[in-house]
Amino acid sequence: MEQGSRRRVENERAYVLHTWPYSETSLLVEIFSRGYGRLPLLAKGVRRPRSSLRGLLMAFQPLSLGWSGRGEVRTLNRCEWVGGLPLLKGDALLCGFYCNELLMRLLPREDPHEALFDHYEATLAQLQHAEDLERVLRAFERTLLKELGYGLTLDRDAETGGPIDPEAFYDYEPDRGPVPSRGEGRLRLRGRTLLAIANEDYSDPGTLQQYKQLMRLLINHRLDQQPLHSRNVYRELQQL
Amino acid sequence: MSRTNNSLDELIEALRCLPGVGPKSAQRMAYHLLQYDQAGAHRLALALDRALQRIRRCAKCNTFTEEEVCALCTSPKRDPSLLCVVETPADQAVMEQTLAYQGLYFVLMGRLSPLDGIGPKEIGLDALQRRVSDGIVKEVILATNFTNEGEATAHYIHEMLQGRGLKITRIARGVPVGGELEYVDLGTLAQAFYERREA
């Protein structure tokens, strides 16, 4: 019995990242929880027409979940709506899907990251009202990489260990950081831009553009150059 | 288990293409058809074959039909200036049951789902774009689901069709008819509050 109670989790704050239909009436739910990280849950019977959880297991709404079980896929026992966050709309919604895909692809299962969870929650709230969605996304990407142990080096030369020269050019190497440019790197950045990103100073409009390229380089590297579906869909939608 | 019966194995494997049917159910279905209901099995095989040969997509609304254009799209009783966009034929069927709507439909046969890589091409948004450009449609009613995917779909259809002189509307959501606030689920009630309208 004692072992059984240890396997049971109650009132865990979590978000749904994605769902898949499972058998006739159930749902497989990938969640991101504060204390247990990302994990899959089986929600039995929730696709029945009168299931009270039917409309609840949706991405971007704060939930309080309870689950039990021992295997890789646990069984959802309880799900309560916590609220306080209106649903995302428009482009912000697409940004939300992008964040969820990043978590699904980069965050290993059952690896708790409370700071990342809090930042994810703050990101969803910011996306609701943000004038500049790009900035919110960059901050999320940066926190995600940092929490996964791939923090950005922006203020020192990875080759010499010396400070960044604002006037010099650097190539950004995903596994090391900025090295003096030999003109052959995939991304060439001016020292000034690196320092601006480090200080989160986006007064120069070119900075955010370069920041985006830098994050794309790093994320693609972590994804082994496998494409992100949400990024492709977003691009196709912009072409409509 | 012996693996000598090839056509039986093939039947079981074929039945597994149905949604929600795993190896166990597929086996049960196969044995049932062969043992107790050979006539039924024959009918099923014939119906499947015929459906595959005859059924195609309506040139106007994209739903399944045996004609070039489906019966609903050609009906003179419908108002051709209204076009309701739904995700699936099942959604269209319930809209019809409401008897509230007398216009025409466009069935997407899906929804945008960025995490599954389902984008505008997969749900035929270009066909919808052509459909509304007939000069007769005046109002497009977005009746996709109130899931994140359905909302995204509605949003981008709205973006796509803006600036063409069309009225674009979204079906309302909120407290159900006959709903008592005390018993309405919290998410619905919260969203009804966020989207409150002037009385």
Side-chain angles (χ1 to χ4, degrees):
Chain A
M1 240 6 254
E2 201 201 38
Q3 224 190 353
S5 61
R6 255 193 284 151
R7 281 186 271 128
R8 183 174 281 273
V9 174
E10 306 269 11
N11 298 327
E12 177 65 20
R13 198 168 169 89
Y15 285 86
V16 168
L17 294 178
H18 198 41
T19 61
W20 298 268
Y22 185 85
S23 78
E24 199 78 357
T25 57
S26 301
L27 203 60
L28 201 57
V29 188
E30 191 79 21
I31 62 153
F32 180 33
S33 65
R34 191 164 194 277
Y36 298 83
R38 177 170 82 88
L39 69 155
L41 298 179
L42 181 61
K44 285 183 185 160
V46 297
R47 281 165 60 230
R48 290 205 175 91
R50 297 200 182 280
S51 163
S52 59
L53 300 186
R54 210 186 153 86
L56 221 51
L57 288 166
M58 227 167 86
F60 317 124
Q61 42 184 7
L63 300 171
S64 170
L65 302 181
W67 64 83
S68 59
R70 197 202 289 269
E72 191 189 2
V73 182
R74 321 288 160 81
T75 305
L76 178 80
N77 301 325
R78 267 165 56 94
C79 171
E80 271 176 52
W81 185 83
V82 181
L85 210 59
L87 291 168
L88 293 174
K89 287 191 288 204
D91 283 341
L93 180 53
L94 247 281
C95 294
F97 282 125
Y98 172 72
C99 293
N100 281 9
E101 190 173 16
L102 284 183
L103 289 171
M104 299 266 300
R105 300 274 294 273
L106 290 174
L107 187 67
R109 277 180 172 166
E110 303 199 43
D111 186 8
H113 283 279
E114 293 189 353
L116 179 61
F117 182 90
D118 294 342
H119 190 94
Y120 173 73
E121 191 155 55
T123 299
L124 294 183
Q126 284 164 19
L127 287 174
Q128 309 271 355
H129 311 290
E131 299 267 306
D132 189 352
L133 297 168
E134 297 271 343
R135 255 155 106 151
V136 180
L137 288 184
R138 294 299 87 77
F140 178 72
E141 292 164 341
R142 192 159 166 176
T143 306
L144 175 64
L145 290 177
K146 182 171 157 244
E147 285 292 318
L148 293 172
Y150 309 122
L152 258 68
T153 306
L154 295 164
D155 55 357
R156 63 184 166 77
D157 183 330
E159 210 161 73
T160 64
I164 291 287
D165 173 2
E167 297 310 317
F169 280 97
Y170 294 86
D171 292 331
Y172 207 99
E173 290 187 5
D175 282 320
R176 295 172 70 198
V179 296
S181 179
R182 295 176 191 92
E184 61 205 20
R186 269 177 292 175
L187 182 62
R188 194 158 171 261
L189 298 166
R190 202 183 259 280
R192 193 189 303 133
T193 308
L194 286 168
L195 293 170
I197 296 171
N199 299 323
E200 298 182 51
D201 165 15
Y202 308 120
S203 48
D204 180 347
T207 306
L208 266 176
Q209 195 52 41
Q210 299 237 289
Y211 189 13
K212 182 177 184 168
Q213 288 173 7
L214 173 62
M215 294 315 283
R216 181 164 291 203
L217 172 84
L218 296 175
I219 284 169
N220 287 349
H221 179 69
R222 295 297 156 213
L223 290 168
D224 290 328
Q225 312 302 327
Q226 295 297 309
L228 281 166
H229 293 310
S230 50
R231 196 189 275 163
N232 291 342
V233 167
Y234 186 74
R235 194 179 305 129
E236 284 173 24
L237 287 169
Q238 298 308 311
Q239 286 162 2
L240 280 178
Chain B
M1 265 220 313
S2 68
R3 283 260 162 207
T4 49
N5 215 331
N6 275 329
S7 36
L8 178 61
D9 287 343
E10 213 177 293
L11 175 60
I12 293 173
E13 199 49 43
L15 285 166
R16 287 188 59 185
C17 75
L18 291 165
V21 175
K24 266 264 152 49
S25 319
Q27 198 178 48
R28 203 162 36 84
M29 288 175 184
Y31 286 146
H32 175 86
L33 288 173
L34 294 172
Q35 196 172 354
Y36 302 109
D37 200 359
Q38 292 222 351
H42 216 79
R43 224 177 107 206
L44 177 65
L46 223 72
L48 261 179
D49 196 46
R50 270 170 70 161
L52 278 176
Q53 281 183 27
R54 294 188 185 177
I55 293 179
R56 51 182 162 166
R57 299 295 186 83
C58 171
K60 291 186 89 171
C61 75
N62 198 38
T63 198
F64 296 121
T65 176
E66 289 196 23
E67 317 296 328
E68 171 72 19
V69 177
C70 74
L72 201 148
C73 283
T74 45
S75 167
K77 290 183 187 155
R78 312 295 298 208
D79 179 351
S81 71
L82 299 176
L83 189 76
C84 178
V85 180
V86 292
E87 291 183 12
T88 64
D91 295 338
Q92 180 188 5
V94 287
M95 275 298 282
E96 279 297 282
Q97 283 171 31
T98 65
L99 303 177
Y101 179 65
Q102 295 303 321
L104 299 175
Y105 290 90
F106 187 88
V107 186
L108 296 168
M109 297 285 184
R111 63 203 68 95
L112 292 177
S113 185
L115 264 71
D116 300 309
I118 297 176
K121 281 185 201 129
E122 284 75 15
I123 59 168
L125 287 194
D126 46 342
L128 173 60
Q129 207 161 9
R130 284 194 299 276
R131 175 67 185 86
V132 300
S133 313
D134 65 354
I136 301 168
V137 173
K138 297 272 177 291
E139 179 177 351
V140 177
I141 302 143
L142 303 174
T144 54
N145 286 335
F146 282 108
T147 56
N148 288 311
E149 286 79 5
E151 279 285 285
T153 310
H155 171 76
Y156 285 101
I157 293 175
H158 179 232
E159 296 270 290
M160 178 179 89
L161 299 181
Q162 249 180 354
R164 294 164 170 248
L166 293 163
K167 183 177 174 187
I168 304 167
T169 54
R170 177 87 168 108
I171 55 166
R173 71 172 144 194
V175 180
V177 173
E180 297 164 77
L181 294 199
E182 188 182 347
Y183 302 108
V184 171
D185 77 274
L186 300 175
T188 303
L189 190 55
Q191 205 62 30
F193 175 78
Y194 292 131
E195 295 178 12
R196 65 191 181 277
R197 58 182 166 80
E198 259 181 72

